[in-house]
Structure formats: C-alpha cells, structure tokens
Amino acid sequence: RKQKQQQYPQLIVFDLDGCLWKPELYQLARRGEQSPFILSSSNPHQCQSRRTGMTISLLRDVPGILQYVHQDLGIGMGISSRTGNPLWARELLSLYQLCSNNNNNNNKSDDNNNTTLDQVMTGPLEIVNEPKVQHFHRIAKATNLPLQTMMFFDNERGNCQKVAKLGVTVGYCPEGLTRTVFDKTLQHYPRINWDVVGIDL
C-alpha cells in the first residue's frame, strides 16, 4: 500500500491565550496586572509584568514548533485571538524570542537569537474579540488563500468546531499547543470534512 505523500498548508493560524502561552491575559487583568511587560533576562520564552513581576510564559513546545514552521517548512503564520487585551497580546508578541534558552549554544544560528514572534507571524493578526469565523473570513480575504489551504490550532472546543466547518484543518489542544498535536494535525492535512483533530480523530 502506497504511503500518502505529506501535503502542507499555505498558512498556519494560532490562538494565543491558553494555546501559545499561559496564564491567559484575562487572568492577569483580574489580578490587577498592568502593562508594560519585560522579557526575562534568563528566559527568552518568559515575560514579566514590570509592576508586579508576575510571569507569563510560552508553553514548552511552542518555540520549537514556531521555529520549525518558520525555518524548516517556510509556511506563513497568523493569529486568531479573541483576547480582550489586544495591546498586551501584541506587546508580548514583540518580546518573546524563538532562540534557545541556552544562549551559549553555538550550534544555534546567531540570526535566531533575537527573532521575536511578531517577526515570524507574517500572516494576518486577527486579535479582536469577535467570532473566529469572522477572523477567518477576513484572513482569507487578506491573503487571497482558500480556507481549505489553512491549518488552525485552538484550546477551545467550540472555536475548533466552528472553524473546521469552514474547511480549515483544525487541531484541538485543550492543554495548549504540543508537538504531538501539531504533528498529528499536520498528518491529517487537508481535511475534507468537519472532523477536528483531537476531538473526532
């Protein structure tokens, strides 16, 4: 039996809160946290509230996944987030770096040391508290890409199911984005029905 040849999406879109980082921004707001944030001096995947020192961190597998998509696959990436704190989200995207925690690792290219998330998220950034279906219609219009050529990751079941009905290949990651979920979703691209990887598959 001939093995299926891997196909790749033309755009990969990510949710933010609970998908790429934790805690979620609304949780910070409830605790009275305030912008601005600063990048940790010891961890390029962790930011702190300048006022209280409260930390918000990229999830463990996220930097490696984003670096793989950007460098190895060369696929554009975008954001679909309904956060109520869009300015905070954009600030964090401008701070987090893709480089290794070990800044002395000479095997890493120096070009990656200061690459921030907003530099690799070259696709549309839909960071507005509106339904994600609307986000994706605007993303499709802005990129002139069919929805069937996109892949999406979110930690909320309802968002995943609604976006999958548009023809997008969707991966459900209730504990945040992991390499296991990413790889499984990529293997199932493209979906020709409304199945969500992690829910139906």
Side-chain angles (χ1 to χ4, degrees):
R1 183 176 172 178
K2 189 175 180 179
Q3 188 174 6
K4 173 189 170 184
Q5 184 175 2
Q6 177 67 62
Q7 298 182 59
Y8 294 94
Q10 295 187 50
L11 180 70
I12 301 179
V13 181
F14 301 93
D15 178 38
L16 292 176
D17 281 343
C19 182
L20 298 191
W21 60 51
K22 286 184 180 180
E24 300 189 26
L25 295 186
Y26 82 89
Q27 294 173 312
L28 293 182
R30 283 183 178 176
R31 295 171 185 171
E33 299 298 333
Q34 294 180 359
S35 170
F37 299 97
I38 56 173
L39 186 68
S40 167
S41 60
S42 60
N43 186 341
H45 310 148
Q46 186 175 86
C47 287
Q48 298 172 315
S49 165
R50 192 184 296 270
R51 187 171 74 87
T52 67
M54 178 73 186
T55 60
I56 178 169
S57 304
L58 292 179
L59 300 178
R60 183 184 64 182
D61 292 351
V62 166
I65 291 170
L66 299 185
Q67 195 162 346
Y68 172 68
V69 173
H70 176 64
Q71 291 188 326
D72 298 342
L73 299 183
I75 297 173
M77 294 181 283
I79 295 294
S80 172
S81 170
R82 299 182 63 232
T83 180
N85 302 91
L87 294 179
W88 290 11
R90 291 179 183 274
E91 183 179 349
L92 290 169
L93 289 171
S94 73
L95 292 172
Y96 287 124
Q97 298 176 1
L98 288 186
C99 62
S100 167
N101 281 327
N102 182 2
N103 292 325
N104 297 320
N105 185 350
N106 294 325
N107 293 324
K108 296 289 182 180
S109 168
D110 289 341
D111 293 339
N112 298 327
N113 284 349
N114 297 313
T115 302
T116 56
L117 265 59
D118 64 343
Q119 291 176 310
V120 300
M121 296 288 182
T122 56
L125 304 184
E126 285 287 337
I127 307 177
V128 58
N129 191 8
E130 295 178 357
K132 300 216 170 180
V133 168
Q134 293 184 25
H135 289 185
F136 272 87
H137 283 309
R138 288 197 293 265
I139 289 171
K141 184 175 182 180
T143 60
N144 200 30
L145 292 174
L147 290 161
Q148 293 80 5
T149 66
M150 301 181 194
M151 200 159 74
F152 175 54
F153 295 92
D154 199 301
N155 63 307
E156 294 189 17
R157 177 183 290 260
N159 290 335
C160 290
Q161 292 171 326
K162 290 172 184 175
V163 172
K165 290 181 180 180
L166 299 176
V168 178
T169 299
V170 178
Y172 174 52
C173 43
E175 302 303 320
L177 184 62
T178 65
R179 190 61 191 251
T180 299
V181 172
F182 179 86
D183 287 345
K184 185 176 180 181
T185 306
L186 187 60
Q187 290 168 7
H188 281 283
Y189 175 86
R191 297 305 304 150
I192 57 174
N193 54 30
W194 297 351
D195 289 343
V196 175
V197 178
I199 297 177
D200 306 299
L201 298 169

